[in-house]
């Protein structure tokens, strides 16, 4: 037969709730007050002695080592001012209400749902979705497979899923974000960004530092960044707005749109196997732009140059009849940052920003 067991302990702000379960879901409701109320549900009577609930100093410790109580779950109501360390071999973890301390939560498999976290967050599941509100500290979040949705993170973030979409409102420091496959969306990143997906679209607002963005296949869009911007997709369009620094951007097949203010010395590369490239650059910068494309319908006259258009006057034009390639060089204000723009099959537009 199954039975329930209850317990209650008085706690103080900053005390630790330490939960370790061999299996079963954990459901927590936070509020004011100064008491932890515990209800352990659906325990097989023969496994009752495998459940311990006690307070040791400033720590409330709950342990369950039963293997046969398949419907076991732990329901708690606690003050929001505790620090939480929660682990279960399998089952969902949900926290209804805010936590002002740190949250360390892990499950062998199941979803994790948390609202606002006032401290650092370390959340992991072997497989399942993770959904949180704002996190007022550093965040380390991972799932073997599932979607991740997070609010504002007021620290650095390391976030990964074996497969699934990732959606983050914003990160106020550097971010390392990856999924085995799925779309990634982040509004703003307050430091450097390392963002990758095995396949899917990536959409990012502003990045306050350098950006390394890659997808096995999908579109990439970035609203602004400062420093080095390294973007690559196996196939898909790349859109880069308001980049101050330098770009290494490539797609196997797709169009590239870039707005660049180069630093005057560092090299940039924009390359697509098949697709058009549109580059916007201020007329006042020191740069040497080298644009090249293949002309399959080679005519040998000026019409071959229609594939490369620019608001700037060309300094040099090279034609290679055997390879059917055209290379046009534009030297702006005596030259400076080299910007190589090339497409295997497509057109190039270079415009004044």
């Amino acid at each position: 037969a199954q039975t329930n067991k209850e317990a209650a302990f008085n706690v103080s702000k900053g005390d630790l709730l330490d939960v370790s379960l061999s299996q079963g879901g954990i459901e927590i409701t936070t509020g004011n007050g100064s008491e932890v109320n515990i209800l352990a549900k659906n325990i097989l009577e023969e496994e009752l002695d495998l459940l311990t609930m006690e307070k040791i100093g400033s720590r409330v410790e709950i342990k369950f080592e039963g293997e046969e109580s398949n419907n076991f779950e732990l329901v708690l109501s606690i003050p929001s001012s505790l620090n939480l360390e929660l682990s279960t071999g399998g089952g969902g973890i949900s926290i209804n209400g805010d936590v002002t301390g740190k949250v360390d939560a892990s499950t062998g498999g199941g979803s994790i749902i948390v609202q606002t976290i006032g401290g650092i967050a370390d959340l992991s599941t072997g497989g399942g979705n993770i959904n949180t509100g704002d996190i007022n500290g550093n965040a380390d979040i991972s799932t073997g497979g599932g979607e991740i949705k997070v609010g504002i993170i007021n620290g650095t973030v390391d976030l990964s899923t074996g497969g699934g979409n990732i959606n983050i409102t914003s990160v106020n420091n550097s971010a390392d974000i990856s999924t085995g496959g799925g779309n990634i969306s982040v509004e703003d990143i307050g430091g450097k960004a390392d963002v990758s997906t095995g396949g899917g679209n990536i959409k990012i607002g502003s990045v306050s530092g350098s950006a390394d963005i890659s997808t096995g296949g999908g579109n990439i869009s970035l609203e602004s960044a400062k420093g080095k911007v390294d973007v690559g997709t196996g196939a898909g369009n790349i859109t880069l707005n308001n980049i101050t620094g330098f770009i290494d951007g490539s797609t196997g097949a797709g169009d590239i749109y870039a707005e660049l203010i180069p630093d005057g010395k560092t090299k940039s590369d924009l390359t697509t196997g098949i697709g058009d490239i549109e580059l916007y650059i201020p007329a006042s910068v020191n740069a040497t732009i080298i644009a090249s494309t293949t002309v399959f319908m080679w005519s040998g006259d000026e019409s071959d140059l229609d594939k490369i258009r620019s608001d700037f006057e060309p300094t040099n034009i090279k034609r290679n009849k055997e390879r059917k390639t055209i290379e046009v060089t534009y030297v702006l204000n005596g030259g400076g940052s080299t910007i190589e723009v090339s497409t295997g099959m497509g057109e190039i537009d270079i415009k004044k920003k």
Side-chain angles (χ1 to χ4, degrees):
Q2 292 182 344
T3 186
N4 298 339
K5 193 172 179 182
E6 294 184 51
F9 302 102
N10 281 314
V11 289
S12 303
K13 181 181 178 181
D15 283 359
L16 175 66
L17 174 65
D18 186 352
V19 177
S20 176
L21 312 179
S22 54
Q23 61 177 5
I26 301 170
E27 187 180 324
I28 296 173
T29 304
T30 70
N32 298 320
S34 58
E35 198 171 62
V36 170
N37 290 289
I38 307 160
L39 172 60
K41 296 166 70 174
N42 309 322
I43 314 158
L44 290 175
E45 288 184 348
E46 59 266 31
E47 292 193 329
L48 258 177
D49 59 347
L50 298 175
L51 172 70
T52 57
M53 300 186 283
E54 55 189 340
K55 184 163 190 280
I56 305 159
S58 60
R59 187 167 92 246
V60 174
E61 193 175 274
I62 303 166
K63 267 190 182 174
F64 181 61
E65 296 175 335
E67 299 292 340
E68 303 298 326
S69 302
N70 294 329
N71 298 317
F72 176 79
E73 69 178 300
L74 194 66
V75 181
L76 305 102
S77 66
I78 68 168
S80 59
S81 59
L82 298 185
N83 294 305
L84 309 183
E85 286 187 10
L86 315 170
S87 76
T88 173
I93 298 174
S94 75
I95 302 173
N96 305 306
D98 300 341
V99 177
T100 60
K102 70 165 188 174
V103 177
D104 185 333
S106 70
T107 169
S111 61
I112 298 176
I113 300 167
V114 196
Q115 292 177 18
T116 301
I117 299 172
I120 61 173
D122 193 334
L123 312 174
S124 70
T125 170
N129 299 332
I130 298 178
N131 198 322
T132 84
D134 297 343
I135 298 170
N136 193 32
N138 297 339
D140 194 331
I141 300 171
S142 69
T143 168
E147 299 202 346
I148 298 177
K149 191 170 183 193
V150 187
I152 298 166
I153 300 169
N154 194 23
T156 61
V157 63
D158 192 334
L159 193 146
S160 68
T161 169
N165 297 331
I166 295 174
N167 195 305
I168 304 171
T169 302
S170 65
V171 180
N172 291 344
N173 210 306
S174 62
D176 192 331
I177 301 164
S178 69
T179 169
N183 299 327
I184 298 175
S185 169
V186 191
E187 283 181 22
D188 296 307
I189 297 172
K192 71 184 183 74
D194 195 332
V195 181
S196 68
T197 169
N201 299 326
I202 298 177
K203 189 171 190 289
I204 301 174
S206 67
V207 176
S208 296
S210 59
D212 192 333
I213 304 166
S214 68
T215 169
N219 300 327
I220 295 173
S221 123
L222 174 62
E223 281 307 310
S224 72
K226 291 181 175 71
K228 182 182 181 187
V229 174
D230 201 329
V231 293
T233 171
N237 299 327
I238 295 174
T239 305
L240 305 172
N241 295 301
N242 300 309
I243 309 301
T244 304
F246 52 107
I247 300 169
D248 191 340
S250 69
T251 171
D255 298 335
I256 298 176
Y257 173 95
E259 298 172 359
L260 175 64
I261 301 173
D263 60 11
K265 51 187 185 293
T266 317
K267 185 172 184 273
S268 288
D269 268 302
L270 297 171
T271 309
T272 174
I274 304 170
D276 299 333
I277 299 176
E278 198 171 354
L279 171 65
Y280 281 81
I281 190 163
S284 59
V285 300
N286 299 94
T288 304
I289 304 167
I290 303 165
S292 62
T293 185
T294 307
V295 182
F296 289 96
M297 303 295 287
W298 187 272
S299 61
D301 58 26
E302 289 300 307
S303 66
D304 294 336
L305 296 173
D306 290 349
K307 297 278 186 187
I308 299 176
R309 297 176 292 272
S310 177
D311 291 344
F312 304 103
E313 284 299 316
T315 313
N316 190 31
I317 298 169
K318 285 184 192 171
R319 307 171 193 237
N320 187 318
K321 188 177 179 182
E322 285 176 12
R323 293 185 178 176
K324 295 187 175 178
T325 58
I326 290 177
E327 182 184 282
V328 184
T329 302
Y330 307 89
V331 177
L332 277 56
N333 306 302
S337 297
T338 300
I339 302 166
E340 291 193 1
V341 184
S342 69
T343 171
M345 185 173 153
E347 300 184 358
I348 294 171
D349 267 302
I350 299 161
K351 297 180 178 177
K352 290 179 185 174
K353 187 176 188 301

